[in-house]
Amino acid sequence: MLAGSIQPHGPGAVIRGKFGMHRLTSAFMFFWFGGFAVKGIFDFVEALITLVSQPALQPGHIWAGLIVPALMLTLGVVLLRFGRSRDRDEDLYLLEFLRGVLEPEAP
């Protein structure tokens, strides 16, 4: 997200802006990871206790309780890092674009 303003400055203008995630995106991620943490940790601990207390009983849902929370957390972190890495040079790109649009061309 880009939020900014254009303010007069001498014969020209100053453009100020802020790059970042939208507040709704941050709020969604907070609740998503928070809900995952509560449910995932509960499932992980329950599966681990079942696995340790009843080693002969090892149905698939026990292993799913151990593996799925770890995979979901890993996928969430990877997606977040991927999105941020794609945004890494956006501010430079936008600055160059604005310079090209706003600066007068030499004859």
Side-chain angles (χ1 to χ4, degrees):
M1 181 178 104
L2 169 65
S5 64
I6 301 174
Q7 302 168 346
H9 186 285
V14 174
I15 299 173
R16 297 180 192 263
K18 180 182 176 190
F19 298 92
M21 275 193 285
H22 194 277
R23 281 185 266 149
L24 290 176
T25 303
S26 297
F28 172 79
M29 287 178 25
F30 174 79
F31 286 110
W32 178 264
F33 280 114
F36 160 76
V38 170
K39 176 79 168 109
I41 290 171
F42 176 76
D43 287 350
F44 183 83
V45 169
E46 180 184 31
L48 194 59
I49 290 171
T50 303
L51 188 64
V52 170
S53 66
Q54 301 173 1
L57 177 67
Q58 295 183 10
H61 73 278
I62 292 175
W63 291 108
L66 293 172
I67 295 171
V68 170
L71 288 176
M72 285 183 65
L73 179 62
T74 302
L75 181 61
V77 170
V78 166
L79 287 174
L80 184 60
R81 287 185 185 250
F82 175 73
R84 286 190 175 167
S85 72
R86 295 204 24 117
D87 286 354
R88 188 176 42 226
D89 297 328
E90 286 294 311
D91 54 347
L92 298 175
Y93 170 77
L94 287 172
L95 285 173
E96 289 301 318
F97 173 77
L98 287 173
R99 281 190 190 114
V101 169
L102 298 175
E103 287 182 354
E105 293 184 22

